[in-house]
Amino acid sequence: SQQGEEDPQALSIQEGENATMNCSYKTSINNLQWYRQNSGRGLVHLILIRSNEREKHSGRLRVTLDTSKKSSSLLITASRAADTASYFCATRSRGSTLGRLYFGRGTQLTVWP
Amino acid sequence: EAQVTQNPRYLITVTGKKLTVTCSQNMNHEYMSWYRQDPGLGLRQIYYSMNVEVTDKGDVPEGYKVSRKEKRNFPLILESPSPNQTSLYFCASSLGDRENSPLHFGNGTRLTVT
């Protein structure tokens, strides 16, 4: 499977701290996306990074991509209790049909007030 | 409001009783897809559709059918549900014409098959 794998499975931090989640994947990709899921709800797209990009920022989010290591990280700075959610990476493999998007198992982030 | 709407939100049924989960989007998206989410397994793609009358299998298509007769609708059909299809189902859509189009998800359908 070319499914992405997030690490850690669960992360628990205090408000104000930074949260870092990692994603590893197996095949060459066109892009990597991060999504957020509040408990039992639909996923919400956070940010996309293309294979020729190394770093991207959006508000308190910072995503890095290392294609040589086939890994990405999502950093949430100055976390808030409202950031509590599951975070998933999703990859679209180079050469695959546009329709195939593979999700990892997710990191459950808990931010304590 | 731009959205993907799934119905029903919750469904309890018995083995073998045919059911349909509806999905509709109002964003004129070409691409639509169904996923199931199970604890420890993440999201797995069931079927997807690149456009009207064009559907393809994902990773776990067995036991499911789909149709795409109109652009806005992409129903998921379970002809003979079994307990191993108990899961949380998500429909998603995107522009589809560009590889970098983000997915828009519905709020999910929690299905229990007894």
Side-chain angles (χ1 to χ4, degrees):
Chain A
S1 168
Q2 56 199 53
Q3 186 182 42
E5 293 290 340
E6 292 89 348
D7 172 64
Q9 282 189 323
L11 181 60
S12 186
I13 59 174
Q14 294 288 134
E15 257 187 334
E17 294 180 341
N18 295 341
T20 300
M21 289 158 270
N22 303 296
C23 170
S24 59
Y25 55 91
K26 295 180 181 176
T27 63
S28 296
I29 59 171
N30 284 325
N31 64 61
L32 187 144
Q33 304 177 40
W34 284 93
Y35 288 80
R36 165 197 168 119
Q37 181 184 34
N38 287 7
S39 181
R41 309 288 294 206
L43 281 72
V44 175
H45 181 259
L46 293 176
I47 194 166
L48 179 149
I49 186 164
R50 295 179 175 80
S51 60
N52 61 354
E53 297 176 314
R54 291 297 166 257
E55 188 171 311
K56 202 163 182 179
H57 298 254
S58 176
R60 292 185 296 114
L61 305 179
R62 173 178 167 248
V63 170
T64 61
L65 179 65
D66 187 334
T67 53
S68 65
K69 294 181 179 176
K70 294 187 169 58
S71 68
S72 172
S73 67
L74 171 66
L75 168 68
I76 304 175
T77 59
S79 63
R80 306 165 182 167
D83 294 327
T84 294
S86 292
Y87 292 83
F88 295 86
C89 66
T91 57
R92 177 170 280 124
S93 295
R94 191 180 301 280
S96 73
T97 60
L98 291 179
R100 300 306 307 274
L101 187 63
Y102 298 91
F103 285 84
R105 294 183 173 85
T107 292
Q108 171 62 51
L109 172 66
T110 302
V111 182
W112 299 100
Chain B
E1 181 190 350
Q3 58 185 4
V4 177
T5 303
Q6 292 178 231
N7 279 298
R9 286 295 310 277
Y10 301 92
L11 180 57
I12 301 173
T13 190
V14 296
T15 299
K17 186 176 181 183
K18 180 179 179 180
L19 66 91
T20 299
V21 184
T22 64
C23 175
S24 179
Q25 49 90 8
N26 62 0
M27 295 169 280
N28 202 35
H29 283 169
E30 291 184 346
Y31 175 87
M32 297 185 75
S33 183
W34 277 102
Y35 290 86
R36 61 177 288 174
Q37 184 176 28
D38 302 287
L41 296 177
L43 276 85
R44 294 180 292 168
Q45 192 172 32
I46 303 171
Y47 269 97
Y48 64 95
S49 169
M50 298 299 290
N51 213 326
V52 175
E53 302 290 3
V54 180
T55 62
D56 260 307
K57 296 177 180 178
D59 291 315
V60 288
E62 296 79 19
Y64 305 95
K65 282 175 55 178
V66 293
S67 69
R68 188 89 183 273
K69 293 185 170 54
E70 333 162 72
K71 202 170 190 179
R72 63 184 292 123
N73 295 324
F74 191 44
L76 180 69
I77 302 153
L78 284 72
E79 295 270 3
S80 183
S82 62
N84 64 12
Q85 292 178 300
T86 292
S87 188
L88 179 58
Y89 291 87
F90 289 101
C91 179
S93 72
S94 76
L95 284 169
D97 58 336
R98 305 159 212 157
E99 64 183 32
N100 298 323
S101 300
L103 285 174
H104 298 255
F105 280 81
N107 276 328
T109 295
R110 188 169 292 281
L111 172 66
T112 302
V113 183
T114 61

mmCIF file of all heavy atoms in Angstrom, chain A residues 8-9 23-24 46 49 59 73 80 93 99:
data_model
loop_
_atom_site.group_PDB
_atom_site.id
_atom_site.type_symbol
_atom_site.label_atom_id
_atom_site.label_comp_id
_atom_site.label_asym_id
_atom_site.label_seq_id
_atom_site.Cartn_x
_atom_site.Cartn_y
_atom_site.Cartn_z
ATOM 1 N N PRO A 8 3.231 10.908 15.715
ATOM 2 C CA PRO A 8 2.760 9.753 16.491
ATOM 3 C C PRO A 8 1.280 9.467 16.236
ATOM 4 O O PRO A 8 0.612 10.240 15.576
ATOM 5 C CB PRO A 8 2.978 10.216 17.930
ATOM 6 C CG PRO A 8 2.769 11.700 17.851
ATOM 7 C CD PRO A 8 3.315 12.126 16.517
ATOM 8 N N GLN A 9 0.792 8.369 16.770
ATOM 9 C CA GLN A 9 -0.640 8.068 16.678
ATOM 10 C C GLN A 9 -1.439 9.034 17.530
ATOM 11 O O GLN A 9 -2.560 9.384 17.175
ATOM 12 C CB GLN A 9 -0.917 6.636 17.152
ATOM 13 C CG GLN A 9 -0.564 5.581 16.136
ATOM 14 C CD GLN A 9 -1.057 4.217 16.561
ATOM 15 O OE1 GLN A 9 -1.039 3.881 17.746
ATOM 16 N NE2 GLN A 9 -1.498 3.433 15.601
ATOM 17 N N CYS A 23 4.480 12.523 8.711
ATOM 18 C CA CYS A 23 3.835 11.626 7.759
ATOM 19 C C CYS A 23 4.914 11.016 6.875
ATOM 20 O O CYS A 23 5.745 11.744 6.323
ATOM 21 C CB CYS A 23 2.829 12.412 6.914
ATOM 22 S SG CYS A 23 2.145 11.505 5.508
ATOM 23 N N SER A 24 4.897 9.706 6.757
ATOM 24 C CA SER A 24 5.814 9.042 5.834
ATOM 25 C C SER A 24 5.000 8.305 4.780
ATOM 26 O O SER A 24 3.889 7.848 5.046
ATOM 27 C CB SER A 24 6.716 8.058 6.593
ATOM 28 O OG SER A 24 5.934 7.085 7.252
ATOM 29 N N LEU A 46 -6.514 21.410 5.027
ATOM 30 C CA LEU A 46 -5.717 22.445 5.679
ATOM 31 C C LEU A 46 -4.720 23.076 4.717
ATOM 32 O O LEU A 46 -4.654 24.298 4.588
ATOM 33 C CB LEU A 46 -4.950 21.839 6.862
ATOM 34 C CG LEU A 46 -5.783 21.358 8.046
ATOM 35 C CD1 LEU A 46 -4.881 20.701 9.078
ATOM 36 C CD2 LEU A 46 -6.558 22.504 8.671
ATOM 37 N N ILE A 49 1.048 20.755 -0.255
ATOM 38 C CA ILE A 49 2.418 21.068 -0.641
ATOM 39 C C ILE A 49 2.779 20.212 -1.852
ATOM 40 O O ILE A 49 2.526 19.010 -1.882
ATOM 41 C CB ILE A 49 3.404 20.866 0.542
ATOM 42 C CG1 ILE A 49 4.804 21.353 0.159
ATOM 43 C CG2 ILE A 49 3.408 19.430 1.049
ATOM 44 C CD1 ILE A 49 5.719 21.538 1.371
ATOM 45 N N GLY A 59 -0.988 30.632 8.141
ATOM 46 C CA GLY A 59 -1.337 31.021 9.514
ATOM 47 C C GLY A 59 -0.390 30.377 10.513
ATOM 48 O O GLY A 59 0.825 30.534 10.423
ATOM 49 N N SER A 73 6.134 16.925 7.521
ATOM 50 C CA SER A 73 5.744 17.236 8.891
ATOM 51 C C SER A 73 4.781 18.415 8.889
ATOM 52 O O SER A 73 4.859 19.305 8.036
ATOM 53 C CB SER A 73 6.968 17.560 9.748
ATOM 54 O OG SER A 73 7.553 18.763 9.319
ATOM 55 N N ARG A 80 -3.991 25.773 20.458
ATOM 56 C CA ARG A 80 -5.161 26.165 21.231
ATOM 57 C C ARG A 80 -6.015 24.930 21.487
ATOM 58 O O ARG A 80 -5.917 23.953 20.748
ATOM 59 C CB ARG A 80 -5.976 27.194 20.457
ATOM 60 C CG ARG A 80 -5.188 28.397 20.004
ATOM 61 C CD ARG A 80 -5.942 29.179 18.948
ATOM 62 N NE ARG A 80 -5.165 30.325 18.471
ATOM 63 C CZ ARG A 80 -5.479 31.027 17.387
ATOM 64 N NH1 ARG A 80 -6.541 30.708 16.673
ATOM 65 N NH2 ARG A 80 -4.722 32.041 17.018
ATOM 66 N N SER A 93 -0.057 9.724 -5.737
ATOM 67 C CA SER A 93 1.197 9.236 -6.291
ATOM 68 C C SER A 93 1.444 9.737 -7.699
ATOM 69 O O SER A 93 0.513 9.876 -8.496
ATOM 70 C CB SER A 93 1.203 7.700 -6.295
ATOM 71 O OG SER A 93 1.181 7.216 -4.990
ATOM 72 N N GLY A 99 -7.803 10.219 -9.608
ATOM 73 C CA GLY A 99 -8.823 9.857 -8.650
ATOM 74 C C GLY A 99 -8.330 9.192 -7.383
ATOM 75 O O GLY A 99 -9.057 9.064 -6.409
#
